[in-house]
Amino acid sequence: MARLPYVNMKRADGFAIELLGRVQDRQGVLPNLHRILAQSPGVLGGILDLERKVRAGTLAATLREIAALRIARLSGNPYAIHHATADARRAGVSDRAIEEIDRCDSSDAFGPRERAVLRYATEWASAEGASEGSVAALGLQLSAGQQVDLNAAIGLAFFASRMAKAYRIELESETPAEETGAGKTGCA
């Protein structure tokens, strides 16, 4: 069970309902992470705006999503891994690349550009942060704007992974019906 309650669409305030509706319309499902973030509609709105701006940036979706998946895998959080894997598939990342992302240095599923992104993401998430070599290799593959987009994507993935872990956010398929509002009728 999650450590914070999921916002129920039937009981949320108007702004939270509007934001959650946008998420559900775009993704076809209402992620539990967003339902927890809706406890603070202003924060949810800010995160949604940043997500939209990162998606609209100049960084290729496949690069953005392999970096996010690497962060999720490093976190070890099943919720984050599940959603990052689905996002990577939607962006066109191959099943082989998804399977081999933890062996990105030795797998031929990745070219120099993908390796530079994955090495950077891995080091970014470490206590030491990204090394000079990692930053230099990234600079050979991405423009300055793409590097900023990548950092924002990594930051969002790190935030989602940490929130999911800290608050024990469950996969949507594992959330009890009484927490989703499914099947409820009347004034409850």
Side-chain angles (χ1 to χ4, degrees):
M1 175 174 250
R3 290 177 169 168
L4 283 178
Y6 300 117
V7 169
N8 181 315
M9 288 285 280
K10 295 179 181 178
R11 296 186 189 140
D13 71 31
F15 184 51
I17 289 172
E18 175 190 334
L19 294 172
L20 291 172
R22 286 193 325 210
V23 172
Q24 191 164 21
D25 289 347
R26 184 175 58 79
Q27 296 187 11
V29 67
L30 187 53
N32 283 339
L33 172 64
H34 291 86
R35 292 179 58 220
I36 283 188
L37 290 174
Q39 294 291 353
S40 176
V43 170
L44 175 60
I47 292 292
L48 293 176
D49 286 346
L50 182 56
E51 287 175 349
R52 182 179 46 77
K53 289 176 182 178
V54 168
R55 282 191 313 275
T58 60
L59 185 66
T62 54
L63 296 176
R64 180 183 68 237
E65 298 306 337
I66 62 170
L69 178 57
R70 183 69 180 131
I71 295 298
R73 295 286 283 272
L74 289 169
S75 80
N77 180 268
Y79 180 89
I81 293 168
H82 173 83
H83 282 279
T85 299
D87 291 344
R89 280 196 175 101
R90 275 192 296 276
V93 177
S94 72
D95 287 340
R96 181 167 174 239
I98 289 169
E99 290 169 15
E100 296 185 16
I101 203 155
D102 294 330
R103 298 180 302 282
C104 55
D105 287 337
S106 60
S107 172
D108 64 358
F110 305 100
R113 195 171 202 204
E114 291 84 5
R115 276 197 188 94
V117 165
L118 290 166
R119 176 181 171 202
Y120 180 80
T122 300
E123 290 182 9
W124 188 101
S126 73
E128 297 81 30
S131 67
E132 290 293 327
S134 178
V135 172
L138 191 67
L140 295 174
Q141 301 295 328
L142 302 179
S143 71
Q146 290 170 322
Q147 290 178 62
V148 171
D149 290 347
L150 176 63
N151 276 276
I154 291 170
L156 281 167
F158 193 77
F159 172 77
S161 294
R162 297 310 249 179
M163 282 287 293
K165 191 174 233 178
Y167 289 102
R168 296 184 181 156
I169 299 174
E170 303 141 316
L171 290 171
E172 292 71 25
S173 62
E174 298 170 359
T175 306
E178 63 270 9
E179 292 182 37
T180 65
K184 293 196 174 191
T185 58
C187 299

